[in-house]
Amino acid sequence: MTARPPIRFRGRSFLAMVLAPVPPIDEWLAELDALKRRAPAFFSVRAIILDVTGLRFERSDLASLCEELNRRSITILGIEGIGPTSLGPGFPPPLVGGKPVEDIAPPEPGSAPSAAAEAASAAPSAPTLVAPAAPRPRSFVLDAPVRSGQVIQHLEGDVTVLGSVASGAEVIAGGSIHVYGALRGRAIAGAVGDPGARILARKFEPELIAIDGLYKTADDLGSTRLGQAVQARLEGDAIVLLPLDG
């Protein structure tokens, strides 16, 4: 009898956005609907965690809220702020130990609805950058650097940044990401499911990269290719780094 291989445990890191309902829930859901009309793609590439800390919820109330979010195509991957004994079959799992990061600012009221490209500033002083108005090309070319706190999101194809991506900035693309300068922030390629997407940078110094849902932080990437011209791509379920000029 052939021996079975041992069970393998692997770590995988995902970025998540936290939704924290505020009573009255009906009004909060109406505000959520208004946000989705302004920015239909805002929830499409991030894992969503529901934070009910401090809310007095009956189990039936929580079930109704999850159902309302599901009707809006917002899939909850986990729930924070509630004891595990309060949940049961049919609920997302309880989560503890999350590490807070900077807030993600939603699109401002008055912005036009967009089926693909939205960009939100994570810092109040940073301007919002948006992919061109319809008709939108598959590729979005940005001829300016991406400053710290800015988020560039284009889900319809590739993003090309002719400058650099600063630390604390984020670029999200449905396809590949090309950075002609230094990549020091976060680059998320293949965000809507494209394992063939790549990340290419003339100077590779990222805080985090992701391709088709697989993430690696700067610590995971090591220093072998640091500061070099690099392309990152998937081979199987692993991100590999290759010389850009080799």
Side-chain angles (χ1 to χ4, degrees), residues 42-131:
F42 187 69
F43 297 98
S44 63
V45 297
R46 290 182 171 91
I48 306 296
I49 306 301
L50 184 65
D51 185 358
V52 295
T53 302
L55 296 181
R56 297 183 179 275
F57 266 148
E58 298 291 337
R59 192 172 182 277
S60 59
D61 296 332
L62 185 55
S64 296
L65 177 58
C66 290
E67 183 179 347
E68 289 290 339
L69 294 172
N70 187 58
R71 286 180 51 246
R72 291 162 172 82
S73 299
I74 298 175
T75 302
I76 302 301
L77 299 185
I79 299 179
E80 278 189 316
I82 193 166
T85 57
S86 300
L87 301 177
F91 284 95
L95 297 176
V96 294
K99 181 180 179 182
V101 296
E102 69 272 9
D103 288 348
I104 299 173
E108 293 297 325
S111 59
S114 164
E118 282 106 22
S121 164
S125 60
T128 297
L129 298 179
V130 202

Side-chain angles (χ1 to χ4, degrees), residues 170-208:
E170 184 174 84
V171 178
I172 305 171
S176 296
I177 296 173
H178 309 257
V179 181
Y180 279 49
L183 171 57
R184 298 191 176 97
R186 300 181 293 275
I188 301 172
V192 291
D194 182 1
R198 302 188 182 196
I199 297 170
L200 304 96
R202 278 290 166 191
K203 190 173 185 181
F204 190 73
E205 300 175 340
E207 297 171 329
L208 176 147

Side-chain angles (χ1 to χ4, degrees), residues 20 71 121 226 229-230 242:
R71 286 180 51 246
S121 164
L226 191 65
V230 165
L242 301 170

Side-chain angles (χ1 to χ4, degrees), residues 56 62 64 71 83 155-156 182 192 206 210 213 221 224 231 241:
R56 297 183 179 275
L62 185 55
S64 296
R71 286 180 51 246
L155 303 182
E156 295 177 346
V192 291
L221 293 167
T224 303
Q231 64 165 311
L241 306 181

